Amino acid sequence: MQVIGEHGCFGGVQRFCRHDSETIGLPMQFSLYLPPQARERSVPLLVYLAGLTCTEETFPVKAGAQRVAAELGLALLSPDTSPRGADVPGEADDWDFGVGAGFWLDATQEPWRRHWRMESWLMDELLPLLGADDPAGLPPLDLDRAGIFGHSMGGHGALTLALRHPGRFRSVSAFAPIAAPMRCPWGRKAFTGYLGDDQGVWLEHDASELMRSQQSAPYPDGILIDQGLADRFLDEQLYPEAFEDACSAVGQPLVLRRHEGYDHGYYFIATFVEDHLRHHARVLLR
């Protein structure tokens, strides 16, 4: 792992890092905020997955989460949203597919299957890397106390990865997630391109369908979702009510907050990000 940028921030350190990923077959980048407590002890890790067109820099620059993370003693990880530099034909033709649009799954279709393996990269390579020795000699991050959240495409990723990998995360939340991707244009486009036409495979990556298949509540401490009602993508792309219905069907506690006047952008996220960090801290720090 190479630290390519480091900045003092609220008594801690905001890092920007790169590593040569065997899973992706390309260099991959991520940001990592280490609170001041990380100098002395292993701290919990909160993973943030960003949305379409975003990079590893979007969340640390725009969300304003470091102040509260420093108070609570939480590390914040934000990985890049897709491979870059793969030179796959058509990879940058559309803003909602290809570069900047990895959808936090492993592609099975050509020409994407070699490099677009975002689920395996995060779960099987990047997280174990961060749980190992720190390049600056700091204590390793505590992966036994990890939570996950995200926005839009990343909210989809947070919900699906939390459900697909039981036991890996203790807490989960989302901002304006793509909650039922099988129903929406973004999801159908991504699933067809990355996974093929078999909708039985799609079910394994749809948060609402995954939740509905649970035998009991997988997150008894509750899931938090914030949704802006001035979000131009709400009606066609997001379907929070589908996830709400699925949670109700299996008895999963859910707080779905709907906010007048808030859109899909980072002013919305910055407004409510403290609530999300405190939601995770109640579980990760007890």
Side-chain angles (χ1 to χ4, degrees), residues 56-248:
E56 74 283 355
E57 295 184 339
T58 308
F59 179 73
V61 171
K62 292 186 174 183
Q66 294 95 333
R67 176 184 61 82
V68 178
E71 173 196 333
L72 297 172
L74 297 175
L76 301 174
L77 168 67
S78 184
D80 200 358
T81 55
S82 78
R84 298 180 192 268
D87 295 325
V88 172
E91 66 178 16
D93 287 356
D94 299 309
W95 68 274
D96 56 356
F97 184 81
V99 172
F103 270 83
W104 305 106
L105 51 75
D106 289 354
T108 60
Q109 304 300 299
E110 299 293 351
W112 312 102
R113 64 192 306 268
R114 171 63 187 93
H115 300 295
W116 264 254
R117 305 187 65 229
M118 299 297 289
E119 180 175 3
S120 289
W121 173 55
L122 175 64
M123 300 303 300
D124 300 334
E125 187 174 17
L126 183 55
L127 290 179
L129 176 67
L130 296 177
D133 292 338
D134 182 86
L138 299 180
L141 297 173
D142 186 352
L143 300 187
D144 290 329
R145 293 185 293 162
I148 191 167
F149 69 144
H151 170 232
S152 192
M153 176 188 72
H156 144 79
L159 296 174
T160 56
L161 294 181
L163 293 168
R164 284 173 56 78
H165 298 272
R168 295 291 296 275
F169 301 105
R170 292 192 183 184
S171 56
V172 59
S173 70
F175 297 95
I178 304 172
M182 292 180 66
R183 302 187 188 189
C184 77
W186 282 342
R188 291 194 295 269
K189 180 176 182 177
F191 286 0
T192 300
Y194 293 139
L195 302 174
D197 295 326
D198 184 353
Q199 295 197 11
V201 176
W202 297 9
L203 290 169
E204 300 172 10
H205 299 276
D206 183 300
S208 296
E209 298 296 335
L210 285 168
M211 181 59 75
R212 194 172 292 277
S213 71
Q214 303 296 308
Q215 299 302 308
S216 60
Y219 289 90
D221 291 301
I223 295 172
L224 172 63
I225 293 178
D226 279 306
Q227 175 62 60
L229 294 180
D231 188 328
R232 66 190 178 99
F233 302 116
L234 175 56
D235 292 337
E236 185 179 25
Q237 303 282 12
L238 303 180
Y239 291 95
E241 66 277 7
F243 190 74
E244 186 176 39
D245 290 345
C247 287
S248 178

Side-chain angles (χ1 to χ4, degrees), residues 7-14 32-44 65-76 138-139 141:
H7 312 273
C9 187
F10 292 102
V13 175
Q14 179 64 61
L32 180 65
Y33 177 69
L34 296 170
Q37 297 88 339
R39 297 191 187 96
E40 306 297 332
R41 63 178 187 271
S42 183
V43 297
Q66 294 95 333
R67 176 184 61 82
V68 178
E71 173 196 333
L72 297 172
L74 297 175
L76 301 174
L138 299 180
L141 297 173

